[in-house]
Amino acid sequence: MRLFVIGILMMLTATALAADNPTPAADRDYYTMRQYLVTRDGTDNLIATLRFDPVKDWKWNAKYPTKFTIKEDSHGKLPYHLVGEHIELVDESPVQVWLELKPSASAKAMRQRFTVTAAYSFCNKLVCRTFKRDIDF
């Protein structure tokens, strides 16, 4: 029983510590992340790609309910609407996330910057850590 309680306390502490990191760059003990933004031929839509590379002994937590949303701009409007999402996970390799985004009228006119809020998790053999990060494009 004592080990179980210690394990639960370690998981809660790890989750709290992970929540203090402000950006994916601060999470380098668990993963590195690269991001790309590409246009989709024949349409105004964009594809935002996130590539998560877990560090040794860590892996993407496929059981965690990942969530990606677009934040409102400074005027309270969504610059892009999320119209499609695909996560590619193959064994222990890097995880690729593709987000298809439809631009608003203002974003169409002037390639507006935007922020994706991402919630995801990585685990090792002892603990899982959850992350909620804002990723600027």
Side-chain angles (χ1 to χ4, degrees):
M1 179 67 170
R2 179 180 245 172
L3 286 176
F4 175 75
V5 171
I6 291 171
I8 295 296
L9 289 174
M10 285 177 56
M11 285 176 30
L12 292 173
T13 302
T15 300
L17 289 174
D20 290 338
N21 293 334
T23 67
D27 301 330
R28 291 187 187 268
D29 290 343
Y30 315 104
Y31 66 91
T32 58
M33 188 203 70
R34 289 184 221 146
Q35 63 196 67
Y36 309 94
L37 188 62
V38 295
T39 57
R40 186 164 178 208
D41 289 339
T43 153
D44 291 328
N45 289 2
L46 299 175
I47 305 292
T49 303
L50 305 170
R51 178 185 164 142
F52 295 92
D53 290 300
V55 299
K56 186 178 192 269
D57 297 327
W58 287 87
K59 66 178 186 166
W60 179 267
N61 183 357
K63 294 179 182 176
Y64 184 80
T66 44
K67 185 174 182 181
F68 300 93
T69 57
I70 308 301
K71 286 184 84 168
E72 293 179 344
D73 64 15
S74 59
H75 304 293
K77 299 192 182 215
L78 285 176
Y80 292 87
H81 299 276
L82 186 60
V83 295
E85 174 183 313
H86 175 72
I87 299 174
E88 183 177 295
L89 176 63
V90 181
D91 299 325
E92 302 298 318
S93 65
V95 175
Q96 296 273 63
V97 177
W98 288 275
L99 305 172
E100 184 172 1
L101 308 168
K102 180 178 180 180
S104 66
S106 63
K108 266 188 212 180
M110 50 183 215
R111 189 71 69 130
Q112 189 173 353
R113 298 184 63 78
F114 63 95
T115 301
V116 173
T117 299
Y120 48 90
S121 175
F122 282 86
C123 299
N124 66 15
K125 290 183 180 179
L126 300 175
V127 67
C128 289
R129 302 220 167 142
T130 58
F131 303 92
K132 184 174 182 182
R133 302 290 179 255
D134 284 344
I135 303 165
D136 294 323
F137 280 88

